[in-house]
Amino acid sequence: MAFFSATATVPQKLTFVSSTKLSSSSTSSFNFLSFPSFQSNFCKTITASPQFPRAHALPSSAATTTAASSFHGICYVVGDNIDTDQIIPAEHLTLVPSKPDEYEKLGSFALIGLPDAYSVRFVEPGETKTKYSIVIGGANFGCGSSREHAPVALGASGVAAVVAESYARIFFRNSVATGEVYPLESETRLCEECHTGDVVTVELEENRLINHTTGKEYQLKPIGDAGPVIEAGGIFAYARKTGMIPTR
C-alpha cells in the first residue's frame, strides 16, 4: 500500500459526501478524476512524485481475514469526536511510514492520545501490535487535522476496519487513499451496543457486524466503490491495477 501527501486520483467514481458527517442521505459522487487538466497529466505527475511503498503490516494474532470479505477479532470501543491527535499525536508524525521499522513503531503509538478515561490501552506498552483488530466508534470519527498518519497508524497496529456512526470526511478519504483500514459506517450507535473486548465479525459482502459476545447482529452501510480501492492497497495501487499508471 502507498503512503502519500499529494492529491491522487482513481478512474472510477467513489461515493463520498460533501459534509463532515457521512450519511446515506447526504452522499454525492466525488470523482477523483474530475479535475479538468488532471487526466492528461496523471501518469507524468505520479511518475515525477516520490513514491512511498507501504510496509506490510503483520496480522494481529487475535484477528483473521478471509479474502478481504470479512474480519474477525476483538473490538476496541471509543466514543464521539475521536480526533487525529488522539489517534496519533503530533510528536510522532516525524516517523516515516515507508521505512518498515518506523512504520511498525508508528503502529505502537496508535490511539495513545486517548484521555485517561480509557483505562484499557489500545496497544500494550512495549508492543507494536494491538490485539484489537476492529475499532468501533461514535460520531465524527477522525476529526481534526488532515494527517494521513491517522489511518496509517491504525493499519500499522493491526487494525483491519473501523466501524463508526460517522466520519470526518478527510479521515474517510485518507483511509481509502492509503488502503490502510476499511472505514465502515453503522446504521446504529454501535459504540453504545458493544464493549471493548467483545468478539465481533465484520462481513463486507453482507454489510453486517456480528457481536459473538452478545449474540446480536447489526446492519452496516455499504462501502460502495471505495471498497475495491482499499482492497487493492490504496489509490496508487488501484491506479496501477486498472492501468491508469504504469506498473513498476
Side-chain angles (χ1 to χ4, degrees), residues 7-177:
T7 301
T9 67
V10 294
Q12 295 182 1
K13 285 188 176 181
L14 304 182
T15 302
F16 287 92
V17 298
S18 55
S19 62
T20 299
K21 181 176 180 179
L22 296 174
S23 66
S24 57
S25 61
S26 61
T27 57
S28 60
S29 293
F30 184 94
N31 190 348
F32 279 101
L33 286 183
S34 61
F35 303 99
S37 62
F38 202 85
Q39 293 190 41
S40 60
N41 295 323
F42 182 73
C43 293
K44 181 173 65 176
T45 301
I46 297 300
T47 303
S49 301
Q51 300 295 296
F52 303 108
R54 173 195 182 276
H56 294 289
L58 297 176
S60 171
S61 58
T64 57
T65 303
T66 304
S69 62
S70 65
F71 309 104
H72 177 81
I74 306 172
C75 72
Y76 188 89
V77 181
V78 295
D80 297 327
N81 302 311
I82 299 301
D83 62 39
T84 51
D85 279 321
Q86 294 174 320
I87 298 172
I88 182 69
E91 59 263 33
H92 305 303
L93 300 185
T94 56
L95 295 170
V96 181
S98 61
K99 298 179 180 179
D101 58 334
E102 294 191 20
Y103 175 85
E104 188 174 24
K105 191 172 183 180
L106 190 63
S108 71
F109 296 123
L111 291 176
I112 200 172
L114 288 174
D116 294 337
Y118 292 89
S119 57
V120 178
R121 286 283 297 268
F122 182 67
V123 180
E124 292 295 332
E127 299 293 330
T128 59
K129 300 297 178 186
T130 182
K131 64 180 180 180
Y132 305 102
S133 59
I134 298 166
V135 174
I136 295 178
N140 202 28
F141 187 93
C143 57
S145 74
S146 61
R147 65 191 68 163
E148 294 100 337
H149 282 73
V152 172
L154 292 174
S157 72
V159 173
V162 177
V163 182
E165 183 181 1
S166 64
Y167 292 91
R169 183 183 183 185
I170 191 65
F171 178 87
F172 185 92
R173 175 174 177 173
N174 284 341
S175 297
V176 176

